[in-house]
Amino acid sequence: MSLEDLGIIGYESKTLLIDGDLVIYQACCVFNEDDDQSRRQIIRNVNGKVEKLMQAADCDKYIMFVTTKFNFRDDLVDDYKLKRVEEDRPVNLQWAKRYFTEKLNCHFHKKLEADDLLGIYMTDDTVLWSLDKDLRQIPGKHLDDATAEVIEVSEDGILRTDIKIGKNGVKKKKIYFDGTIGLYYQMLIGDNTDHIVGCGKRVTAIRKSGDKKGEEYIKRVGVGPGAAVKLLTQAVLHGKGNLKFALEAVIGEYKKVHGSDWQVHLETQANLLYMVRKQYGEVIQRWTYDGREEYFDLVEGVILHDYKAPTD
């Protein structure tokens, strides 16, 4: 499917790609009563948000994407987003997703997240909006929500530690990352929100203090944020800006943790974090450490080693 298939044809201006999961979820959290009044308010809220974003991005067309309950990452590991399984969801969320896919230019693809669809449809003629930091791994133009300005994310990306001063005057470190180097950083530290372990393992530990002293719990042991920034920064400096050295540093850490099985673990974690860029019907292209072409069948849930992607 292309932008033309979605009705975005013959345009001179940029097309705004919107993370519909966030827009709809936020509205449903505010208007969380199971009644018609709340649903009318959700419609107004989402329509207003879309118009506001289009104005800020200077776009006159948009496409919004949402996620279904099916996800190809569940075929890669058995604990993806495990922490979110028991979360209470807004009462109108499913209704709202159905409504907007019928009434607005809002789309989904079974087993792909909205994040993946944003990556797939990103081109030189689009601007991407999302509050999700993970989307900054996708190079191109992004509408920054905090400043309402369009910024450019490069292919190589940025990894830095910022110092933020809170209202009480206390300094706090915050790590900013985007582009490819941002993906490498996440491959090291994982993503606790989505229960992605990264370069590490989960082990059983005993609580040593507090009300739960003596109880067992599961904790992650592996590369942390500070160590990851230091490792990647030194690798990039050593390679004089060449990200090949950063990837080699990541591989080296996976070898320390997983030994001869490093490649399987590396590419599994990477594809949990990586936003899909190429889709051919029910087949997507995977991330591979050496750039080899490898694909994944969304229907069968298996890796395709001999698949030949169609040429344009």
Side-chain angles (χ1 to χ4, degrees), residues 293-312:
E293 291 193 7
E294 190 171 86
Y295 301 87
F296 189 84
D297 188 318
L298 295 174
V299 176
E300 300 298 328
V302 296
I303 297 173
L304 303 174
H305 298 284
D306 300 320
Y307 178 83
K308 300 296 182 184
T311 56
D312 296 332

Side-chain angles (χ1 to χ4, degrees), residues 48-73:
K49 181 68 173 180
V50 170
E51 291 179 8
K52 182 179 178 181
L53 292 173
M54 290 176 66
Q55 285 182 340
D58 194 24
C59 295
D60 62 7
K61 294 179 177 66
Y62 76 93
I63 317 171
M64 189 158 67
F65 297 104
V66 293
T67 302
T68 69
K69 65 179 180 180
F70 303 100
N71 195 316
F72 81 88
R73 292 170 177 85

Side-chain angles (χ1 to χ4, degrees), residues 268-291:
T268 297
Q269 295 301 306
N271 282 288
L272 292 174
L273 294 159
Y274 178 73
M275 306 307 167
V276 177
R277 310 297 163 79
K278 294 184 179 180
Q279 176 192 8
Y280 307 95
E282 297 300 328
V283 174
I284 56 174
Q285 186 168 6
R286 283 167 48 87
W287 183 94
T288 57
Y289 84 96
D290 54 0

Side-chain angles (χ1 to χ4, degrees), residues 13 32 36 55 62 73 95 114 192-193 219 279 304:
S13 66
N32 197 27
D36 290 341
Q55 285 182 340
Y62 76 93
R73 292 170 177 85
W95 168 85
N192 188 55
T193 301
K219 73 172 184 178
Q279 176 192 8
L304 303 174

Side-chain angles (χ1 to χ4, degrees), residues 134-189:
D134 301 339
L135 270 297
R136 291 288 175 93
Q137 71 173 246
I138 302 171
K141 294 179 175 60
H142 290 248
L143 175 60
D144 184 71
D145 197 74
T147 63
E149 295 180 351
V150 175
I151 64 171
E152 187 82 28
V153 173
S154 68
E155 184 76 38
D156 284 357
I158 296 171
L159 176 63
R160 67 170 186 258
T161 302
D162 296 331
I163 304 297
K164 302 290 184 180
I165 301 178
K167 294 180 180 179
N168 56 3
V170 176
K171 295 181 179 180
K172 185 178 180 181
K173 292 182 179 180
K174 185 175 182 180
I175 297 171
Y176 175 86
F177 56 90
D178 63 25
T180 300
I181 193 71
L183 174 63
Y184 293 167
Y185 170 72
Q186 287 188 294
M187 287 162 60
L188 287 170
I189 70 165

